[in-house]
Amino acid sequence: DGNRIIRRGGKDRLDQLLDRNDAARWRTVYDEYNDEEVTLTKEEMQMIRRIRAGEFPHVEVDPHLPEDDWFTRDLQLHP
């Protein structure tokens, strides 16, 4: 239609005060693209901590796997 997207206004002081007492407040982030507040899970928080520490986001990634040597300096003939 060409109408402007209506975004919700910011929180007033009473809502901010009530949010300060909420235990999940430190896990809540504002998504500007979708105009909503998202509460992060424990796994997402762990991924953020690992990224900030300079590690891989996923625990199951092993950056020190043995490398498979595909190339050799010896001449090999194909069958």
Side-chain angles (χ1 to χ4, degrees):
D1 287 51
N3 296 333
R4 298 191 82 173
I5 297 174
I6 299 173
R7 301 226 179 233
R8 64 180 170 92
K11 293 184 174 184
D12 61 354
R13 290 183 186 231
L14 180 60
D15 286 334
Q16 290 175 357
L17 177 68
L18 293 174
D19 284 345
R20 235 184 279 164
N21 296 330
D22 188 16
R25 172 184 58 90
W26 57 275
R27 293 186 301 142
T28 304
V29 293
Y30 177 69
D31 181 10
E32 287 183 5
Y33 185 76
N34 295 320
D35 193 34
E36 63 183 359
E37 289 190 359
V38 180
T39 303
L40 301 175
T41 63
K42 289 181 182 180
E43 292 82 19
E44 291 168 335
M45 291 298 295
Q46 184 179 10
M47 287 174 66
I48 291 172
R49 280 190 212 104
R50 291 181 61 84
I51 291 172
R52 292 185 73 189
E55 301 172 357
F56 283 94
H58 298 284
V59 178
E60 57 270 356
V61 173
D62 184 13
H64 304 292
L65 289 175
E67 185 177 335
D68 218 6
D69 193 14
W70 288 53
F71 301 102
T72 177
R73 62 185 168 127
D74 301 329
L75 180 64
Q76 297 197 2
L77 299 175
H78 295 288

